[in-house]
Structures are given as structure tokens and as C-alpha cells.
Amino acid sequence: MTAVSPLAPARFPKMPEVTGVTLASHACGVRYAGRTDLLLVEMVAGTTAAGVFTKSLTASAPVEWCRQSVAKGRARVLVVNSGNANAFTGSVGVASVKRTVEKAAKLADCRSSEVYVASTGTIGVRLPDEKITEALADARAKLKGNAWADAAKAIMTTDTYPKGATRTATIDGTKVVINGIAKGAGMIAPDMATMLSYVFTDAAIPADVLQALLSKGVKGSFNAITVDSDTSTSDTLMLFATGKAGNTVIKDAKDKRLADFKAKLFDLLLDLAHQVVKDGEGATKFVAVSVSGAASKRAARVIGMAIANSPLVKTAIAGEDANWGRVVMAVGKAGEKANRDKLSIRMGGVLVADKGEIAEGYDEAPVTAHFKGQNISIEVDVGVGKGKATVWTCDLTHAYIDINGSYRT
Amino acid sequence: MTAVSPLAPARFPKMPEVTGVTLASHACGVRYAGRTDLLLVEMVAGTTAAGVFTKSLTASAPVEWCRQSVAKGRARVLVVNSGNANAFTGSVGVASVKRTVEKAAKLADCRSSEVYVASTGTIGVRLPDEKITEALADARAKLKGNAWADAAKAIMTTDTYPKGATRTATIDGTKVVINGIAKGAGMIAPDMATMLSYVFTDAAIPADVLQALLSKGVKGSFNAITVDSDTSTSDTLMLFATGKAGNTVIKDAKDKRLADFKAKLFDLLLDLAHQVVKDGEGATKFVAVSVSGAASKRAARVIGMAIANSPLVKTAIAGEDANWGRVVMAVGKAGEKANRDKLSIRMGGVLVADKGEIAEGYDEAPVTAHFKGQNISIEVDVGVGKGKATVWTCDLTHAYIDINGSYRT
């Protein structure tokens, strides 16, 4: 078995209950033996829902189901299995989703469109959905409010630790709770929703407001991370609000009374996104790449991702080599405006390159020391405008190759 | 030292002389000890020149010099050093180019604009050009026509074998020779010219015709390969024609009398490009990815490159795992039109997936056997149009990480 990532948090956070949400984990044997692989979540009537999903053109059947249902904005049940992605499984995969949804809806006495499903794991293998549908009744019997760590564990695939985060916020004077869990370690890339992440709150928030907040929050969090530039067919991020906190219902996402909730939600999304990067397959370093001076925010992000996805930058970091020339290379290949002769680079806060060449009196010793640490900082100013963005990634090590050279076997 | 790539050709080809071209290799100690690191080529008066260069926005000083000079279409001297890229070296780097060019022009008694220079190796370190200028006279004394293998060796960096190719063609009844050398193993990516490659012919071809042929030939060869998706700051491909074969001078690149020359040139470019991929850092497998059924030729190429650059596809190939689900993933993330439910995939010629799911009666055994070989074939039809393209790559192995985690040290 793979050891726990050296970048893992010291412990899973203490997560309070979210009124109106109950969870159960179950071992139904889809692929893994001796561990849970099914998560069932039930939510009270009236729960609103929002979601963002992979932009992959080969999206999985469960993703297509959720994308369609979330337009109605209501949720009662969530069913997630690990070990099989039910992606590229044709009409058989669609039928698997349908059977799972119908069984769960019947048990919870709700509409099919209020049931969300997700599957992650191997692509192209038929999902043995009968193992899931047969287990649902047993799983229901175990539903309870304080089961967040077990829930996070049940959805893991190549993850080496469960990922969770919690925040509290106030909306117009009423305290609300926000809990989130996530999974993901490989096939993690930009320009999409995310791997799998589910966030729950007891706040009362209409579905359209929830969607506006989530769509905005994903940009600086899950859409600003990359492990390996490969976009999954199953990426799903959903946000559910039970309304049980009894706060004032606010109908505009820009209303200032939602500012604290929004800030805490975005902070939680970033926390979960960072936890995914820190469990990047084979990761030993957590890398923040900040780009400034770009033509636009979008351009800054493209340049940041070119650096964060460069195998040469990532292997240099794995080798603790402060090879800033590769950062120059990555800026050059990004295809966005950059002024080579105004370009400056800082690593670990130290000015390495300035005005298109190595900084005067540059001393590599403190930068080399920085590269021996776990948290690497790369800052680049491309000298053409005011666009800024930060993205996060990890290093590329032997373990990534070991994990992915034999994933199916 | 790194062992020779298992994909290396059995031997360096026997290359005839190209009338009007003489070559010399020299050890001038730019960075490497105990090996040649300087290539000097002189060409007779009247030699025409064409070139394509990196599209990197952080292109090196030598690239900028060559791009500017080749507009005049004339060549007499080529000076290439390995070990230092003279990239991101600011005004100091520009001065290094100027001193090298002026010294070489003086020795050969030609114009500065007829001297081409190239540097590859570490980025951001000042080029000790005095080592080059001081060595040029000694190198000149060694110039001779039959020194192609030594020339190919002098320009190597992380290459594990020298790369050369030769063809003969006829132009309107006259036999001409085409010789080419190349270097490159990492920082090899699409959408650019190439690493370093120089092609010489004794044919008489005007510079504008030469340029038209080269610009077209690069598309299906050097621009159709990738090792690691990282585009170099120094990529240069040049073609020189001495005119000594005495053939009819043809003034239109589309003239049918150039058809044989064009075919042989393109074949030679593809041969050299394949040799670069086969020396991809850490490569153990040579992979051809053919995409058909795309909306356009361009779309097919984008999808092919998404597959060829996917770390998950490349690590699966390294692990000899016929994980076709990752091919589906890569098609999905490419961003070009694809019909998931018409998608078909062949590996090693075997139909693996068809109409959006695993092929009926699919037997993995012959595909697994294919993956144990050195030459891997992946064919994908995305089911939307008639666009086709083939690209080539290699697998991603532990050795890539070893080589690039400690390149500078």
C-alpha cells in the first residue's frame, strides 16, 4: 500500500453536524476489498443544491445525470461509489445510473431528480450497480449526523488520506455551519470543476444564489490547482443547503449579508483544494505559483498553469533544484504576453532573476535551502500589465510513475 | 552516465559528403569536460538558407539573431555550442552572439548576416563566449567534408546518441544529396519549430523556395512530436543549399520538378524527428498516436497531442498497461469536438473500444502483448468528421525524473 502523503494534514478536522444532513459509509465490494466504497447522504426535504462539473467532452454518465438534475435546484439523496468511474460505459452506464437513482429515490420517498450520484475509479468498466442498489437499505440503517471522517474515507481512490474541512459563518446574525469533503489525487487538472467534492450547510439559501456562490468560488480554488494536467471524466463539486439554521433567506448572491458566508465558503473550498494537491500522486512538495504583471487575470492564470504543469519545473522541484531557467521556459511557452526583458522571478521570496537576466549578486544558497522544505513559493512578474493569479501544484516524483504505471493491476 | 536509449538506431547512418559543406567539431570547454561541445560548419559562397524557430516568447539571443538574418536567405557559417543555451541572459547574451558572429565572419571572410549561431544547454547562465571565439581558428583548421557523425555528437546535451539522416533525390534529372543532423531529448514539445536540427543539400534552390519547403515539412515532422510538452527557448531548424549539384534552378516550391526533392526532404525530417523522440529522456517505448474522424486536421492534431502529452497515458505505457480509459480521458480534455458515443480506439491494431464503450468480445491478451513491445500504436476515431493527424511521443519513466531532477548539478 502507498504510504500517507508527507504533505497530509496532522489530523482530520473535528467536524460538527450539519442539521438536516445524515451520512453512512458501507462496504459493497464494487472493486476494493476490506474497505468502505459507498457513501450515502440523505438531506431533509427543502434542501437546495448547486453544482459544477467537468468540462470533459467524454464526461461520465453520473456527471450527465447530475448536471441535468441540478437545474431543478433540489436535493434529498447523494450516492457515491469509489473504484469504478462508470465512464465510457455507453447505454449500460446510463442504465446503471437510472437503476441506482430509482432505488435510492424509492427508499427515501423522493423524486429521481432529487438524487445525485457519482462514481470514480477505473474508466471503461461496467459498474456492477446491483452491488450498490442491494446495499442501499443496509446503508440507510446506519445514517447519522456525525460521520464525516468515514464519509471522506469511503470516496477515496488513490487518495492517501481523507479530506475534510469545516467553517462557521453568520448570515444576518444567524450562525450557520459549512462542512465539506473531497477526494482526488491524480487526473487533477485545471479548467473544469474538480474531482469529487461535496459541501453541506444548514443555511437557508435559494438554489440560484447557491449556484452563483459556488460558480464564483470554484475559480480561485479547485480551478486553480493541478496535479498532472489531466482532466477527469468525473469531476463534480456540489453544494447543498438544508435551510435548518433558520437564517434570513437572502435572494441576491451579491447582498452584503452573505459576505461572511461567501468568505467562509471560499476559504473552505480553497482548504479542500489544497488538500487535494497535497495528496497529489507521489507529491513531496506543495508549490504555490503566483503570477503578476500579466495582461489580464486570465493571462496570469494561463502562465501560472504553464509553470505548474511543466514536467521540467516539477521534476526540478522534486530534485530540490532551484532551476529557474525552466520557469523562464514555461513563461515562454504559455503563449500569453510577457516581456522577456522585464521578467522577474522570486523563489522562496528571494529575487532570482530581474529585468531579463539573473539578479545582480544573486546568492543561490537561501533558495536551495527553501527548495529543501515542503512548501515552495515561485513568484513571477511578466512585466506587461496588472493581471494577477495564484495556482497550486505539487512536484513530479518516481511515486507518480509507480502509482500510474500499474493502476489497474 | 546515462545509458544509450533502448530505442536508439543500431548505428549512425553512412552519410556522403555534401559538396560545398565542411564541418569541424572541437572541445572548447563551455561546460562539459572530455567531449566536443562546438560545431563549426562552413559553406561555399552562394549557399541559400531557410529556417524555422521556436515560438517561445522567451526565445534565446541566438534564436533572435538567426530569425533576423535568415530573412536575407544567405549562409556561409554555422556555429553551435552545447552545454549553455545563452537564453535569458539579457544584453550580455546579445553581446555574446555579436562577438561570436563577428569573429566567425572575419575568419571566413563573409558578412555577419551569413553567420548563424545556436546554443543549447542550461538557461540563464552567461555564455563564456571567449572560449568559443578563441577556439574558432583551431576548429577551422579541422574542417572537412566527411565529419557528420562527429558533428552530430558535438551538439548533444542530454541526448544519448547522435542523430543523423541522409537521402538522395533528383531534381529535373540531376542527383542531389540531403544530409541532416539533430539534437534533442527533453524540453521537446509541439507548436514550434524543433530543438536543434540542421539540414544541408548540394541542390541549387533559391532561399524563398527553400523556406516554403521547410515551413511545410516541419508540420508533419518536428511539429508532430512531443517528449514532455515543454517548449524550448532555443528550438531551431535550418536548411542550407550550396547549389553545387548543378541542377536546374526552380523558382516555385509547387513545381513538380521539386516533388522528389520535397518527398525526400520531408522523409528525412520525419526520420530526424523520430530519432529525437526515440531519445526522449528516459524513453523505453516509441508511441504513434493516430487520430481520425476529427472536425479538421488541426483538431485531430490537438486531440493527438492531448493523448501524447497526458502523463497518465504515458505512465500507463511505461507500465505496459493497456489502460485505454486514459485515452478516453485525454480525448475528453482536448477541448475539440468528439462524439463520445461514436468514439472508437484501437491499440496495436486491435479494436478495444467502439461506439462509446468497450468493444464486444474484447480480448486484452494481444493488446497486453503489444504493450510489452517497443513500438506502441494507438488509433482513435472521434466520430465527427474527416480530419486526420498522426503524432509521435515516448513513455514517461523513472529515468525522466532522474535526469531532470538534477540536470544542473
Side-chain angles (χ1 to χ4, degrees):
Chain A
M1 292 304 297
T2 314
V4 173
S5 166
L7 306 174
R11 62 189 66 79
F12 192 82
K14 278 190 186 160
M15 291 170 64
E17 296 193 20
V18 175
T19 313
V21 177
T22 54
L23 313 97
S25 313
H26 197 79
C28 72
V30 164
R31 175 166 175 239
Y32 302 118
R35 57 158 277 192
T36 58
D37 60 353
L38 179 67
L39 168 65
L40 174 67
V41 184
E42 288 198 12
M43 293 158 278
V44 292
T47 297
T48 55
V52 285
F53 304 93
T54 184
K55 289 182 186 157
S56 168
L57 293 167
T58 55
S60 69
V63 162
E64 294 201 334
W65 171 264
C66 293
R67 201 180 337 241
Q68 192 185 318
S69 298
V70 84
K72 297 187 180 160
R74 295 281 155 184
R76 291 294 308 284
V77 184
L78 169 67
V79 181
V80 185
N81 76 271
S82 51
N84 183 313
N86 192 17
F88 209 69
T89 42
S91 55
V92 176
V94 174
S96 289
V97 167
K98 196 159 177 272
R99 282 190 293 267
T100 306
V101 164
E102 283 174 359
K103 182 68 183 279
K106 195 176 168 192
L107 290 170
D109 191 23
C110 68
R111 294 181 185 181
S112 297
S113 63
E114 294 173 314
V115 178
Y116 296 87
V117 288
S119 299
T120 56
T122 309
I123 295 171
V125 177
R126 193 188 77 79
L127 177 71
D129 59 273
E130 66 285 359
K131 291 189 178 175
I132 296 171
T133 49
E134 282 164 15
L136 282 175
D138 286 347
R140 285 198 92 220
K142 294 189 278 182
L143 286 166
K144 58 182 174 179
N146 58 349
W148 293 95
D150 287 341
K153 277 178 200 160
I155 62 174
M156 287 165 59
T157 57
T158 57
D159 305 64
T160 71
Y161 60 86
K163 297 161 189 72
T166 181
R167 298 289 185 277
T168 55
T170 53
I171 300 178
D172 201 23
T174 305
K175 189 180 147 189
V176 303
V177 171
I178 318 173
N179 276 4
I181 58 172
K183 67 104 1 192
M187 215 179 267
I188 301 295
D191 208 23
M192 43 106 216
T194 167
M195 34 279 78
L196 285 191
S197 181
Y198 298 99
V199 181
F200 304 84
T201 177
D202 54 2
I205 300 179
D208 59 335
V209 176
L210 213 57
Q211 185 66 49
L213 292 172
L214 189 66
S215 295
K216 183 148 195 214
V218 76
K219 288 185 191 166
S221 59
F222 286 107
N223 276 2
I225 63 170
T226 180
V227 167
D228 55 9
S229 80
D230 277 341
T231 302
S232 163
T233 51
S234 304
D235 298 328
T236 299
L237 166 62
M238 295 195 75
L239 171 58
F240 303 105
T242 66
K244 288 292 163 188
N247 57 282
T248 314
V249 175
I250 294 165
K251 294 184 176 167
D252 178 358
K254 289 178 182 163
D255 191 308
K256 282 185 179 166
R257 288 171 294 174
L258 277 177
D260 186 55
F261 179 84
K262 187 174 152 185
K264 299 295 169 55
L265 172 67
F266 286 15
D267 190 44
L268 175 140
L269 292 173
L270 188 60
D271 184 344
L272 290 173
H274 283 185
Q275 289 190 50
V276 169
V277 174
K278 287 179 176 176
D279 205 8
E281 287 167 347
T284 66
K285 313 269 184 191
F286 178 68
V287 186
V289 179
S290 295
V291 175
S292 59
S296 65
K297 194 179 167 71
R298 190 199 58 78
R301 187 175 172 281
V302 170
I303 295 168
M305 280 295 181
I307 298 167
N309 277 324
S310 160
L312 287 170
V313 170
K314 291 160 81 88
T315 49
I317 293 169
E320 302 183 341
D321 178 9
N323 192 331
W324 57 273
R326 294 183 181 171
V327 175
V328 174
M329 173 282 298
V331 171
K333 78 166 182 168
E336 295 293 337
K337 255 176 105 173
N339 184 333
R340 185 191 63 189
D341 299 327
K342 284 191 181 169
L343 194 62
S344 72
I345 299 172
R346 284 174 189 271
M347 286 173 149
V350 177
L351 188 67
V352 172
D354 193 24
K355 295 177 192 142
E357 56 193 302
I358 195 161
E360 220 181 301
Y362 170 56
D363 174 14
E364 195 161 272
V367 180
T368 301
H370 175 72
F371 269 66
K372 293 197 183 299
Q374 276 187 342
N375 291 290
I376 307 297
S377 150
I378 299 175
E379 296 162 90
V380 179
D381 191 297
V382 298
V384 296
K386 292 186 171 176
K388 278 186 196 184
T390 299
V391 302
W392 294 270
T393 189
C394 57
D395 53 344
L396 173 58
T397 70
H398 288 297
Y400 182 87
I401 290 174
D402 288 333
I403 294 165
N404 288 303
S406 59
Y407 176 59
R408 299 187 313 157
T409 49
Chain B
M1 292 306 296
T2 314
V4 173
S5 166
L7 306 173
R11 62 191 65 79
F12 192 83
K14 278 189 187 163
M15 290 170 64
E17 296 194 20
V18 175
T19 313
V21 178
T22 54
L23 314 96
S25 313
H26 197 79
C28 71
V30 164
R31 175 167 175 240
Y32 302 117
R35 58 157 277 191
T36 57
D37 59 354
L38 180 67
L39 167 65
L40 175 67
V41 183
E42 287 198 11
M43 293 158 279
V44 292
T47 297
T48 54
V52 285
F53 304 92
T54 183
K55 289 181 187 158
S56 169
L57 293 167
T58 56
S60 69
V63 162
E64 293 201 336
W65 171 265
C66 294
R67 201 181 336 240
Q68 194 184 316
S69 298
V70 83
K72 296 187 179 161
R74 295 281 153 183
R76 291 293 308 283
V77 184
L78 169 67
V79 181
V80 185
N81 76 271
S82 51
N84 182 314
N86 192 18
F88 210 67
T89 43
S91 54
V92 176
V94 174
S96 288
V97 167
K98 196 160 177 275
R99 282 191 294 267
T100 306
V101 164
E102 283 174 358
K103 182 66 184 277
K106 196 178 166 191
L107 290 170
D109 191 23
C110 68
R111 295 182 184 179
S112 297
S113 63
E114 293 173 315
V115 178
Y116 296 87
V117 289
S119 298
T120 55
T122 310
I123 295 171
V125 177
R126 193 188 77 79
L127 178 71
D129 59 273
E130 66 285 358
K131 292 189 177 174
I132 297 170
T133 49
E134 283 164 16
L136 282 176
D138 288 347
R140 284 198 92 221
K142 293 188 280 184
L143 285 166
K144 57 182 176 180
N146 57 349
W148 293 95
D150 287 340
K153 277 178 200 160
I155 62 174
M156 287 166 58
T157 57
T158 56
D159 305 65
T160 71
Y161 61 86
K163 296 161 190 73
T166 182
R167 298 289 185 277
T168 55
T170 54
I171 299 178
D172 201 22
T174 306
K175 187 179 148 190
V176 302
V177 171
I178 318 172
N179 276 4
I181 58 173
K183 66 105 1 193
M187 215 178 268
I188 301 294
D191 208 20
M192 42 105 217
T194 166
M195 35 279 78
L196 284 192
S197 180
Y198 297 98
V199 181
F200 303 84
T201 177
D202 55 1
I205 300 180
D208 60 335
V209 176
L210 214 55
Q211 185 66 49
L213 292 172
L214 190 64
S215 295
K216 183 148 195 214
V218 76
K219 288 185 192 166
S221 58
F222 286 107
N223 276 2
I225 63 169
T226 181
V227 167
D228 55 9
S229 80
D230 276 342
T231 303
S232 164
T233 52
S234 304
D235 299 328
T236 299
L237 166 62
M238 294 195 74
L239 170 59
F240 303 104
T242 66
K244 289 292 163 187
N247 57 282
T248 315
V249 175
I250 294 164
K251 294 184 175 167
D252 178 358
K254 290 180 181 162
D255 190 308
K256 283 187 179 167
R257 287 170 295 172
L258 279 177
D260 186 54
F261 179 85
K262 187 174 151 185
K264 300 293 168 58
L265 173 67
F266 286 16
D267 191 43
L268 176 139
L269 292 174
L270 188 60
D271 185 343
L272 290 173
H274 282 184
Q275 288 190 49
V276 169
V277 174
K278 287 178 177 176
D279 205 7
E281 288 168 346
T284 67
K285 312 270 184 191
F286 179 67
V287 186
V289 179
S290 296
V291 175
S292 59
S296 66
K297 193 178 169 69
R298 190 201 58 77
R301 187 176 173 280
V302 170
I303 295 168
M305 281 295 180
I307 298 167
N309 277 323
S310 160
L312 288 170
V313 170
K314 292 161 82 88
T315 49
I317 293 169
E320 303 184 339
D321 178 10
N323 192 332
W324 59 273
R326 293 183 181 170
V327 175
V328 174
M329 174 281 299
V331 171
K333 78 166 181 169
E336 295 294 337
K337 255 176 107 175
N339 184 334
R340 185 190 65 191
D341 299 327
K342 282 190 182 169
L343 195 62
S344 72
I345 299 172
R346 284 174 189 270
M347 288 173 148
V350 176
L351 187 67
V352 172
D354 192 25
K355 295 177 192 142
E357 57 193 300
I358 196 161
E360 220 182 300
Y362 170 55
D363 173 15
E364 195 161 272
V367 180
T368 300
H370 175 72
F371 269 65
K372 292 196 183 300
Q374 277 187 341
N375 292 290
I376 307 299
S377 149
I378 299 174
E379 296 161 90
V380 178
D381 191 297
V382 298
V384 296
K386 291 187 172 175
K388 279 186 196 184
T390 300
V391 302
W392 294 271
T393 191
C394 56
D395 53 345
L396 173 58
T397 69
H398 287 297
Y400 181 87
I401 289 175
D402 288 333
I403 294 165
N404 288 303
S406 60
Y407 176 59
R408 299 188 313 158
T409 50

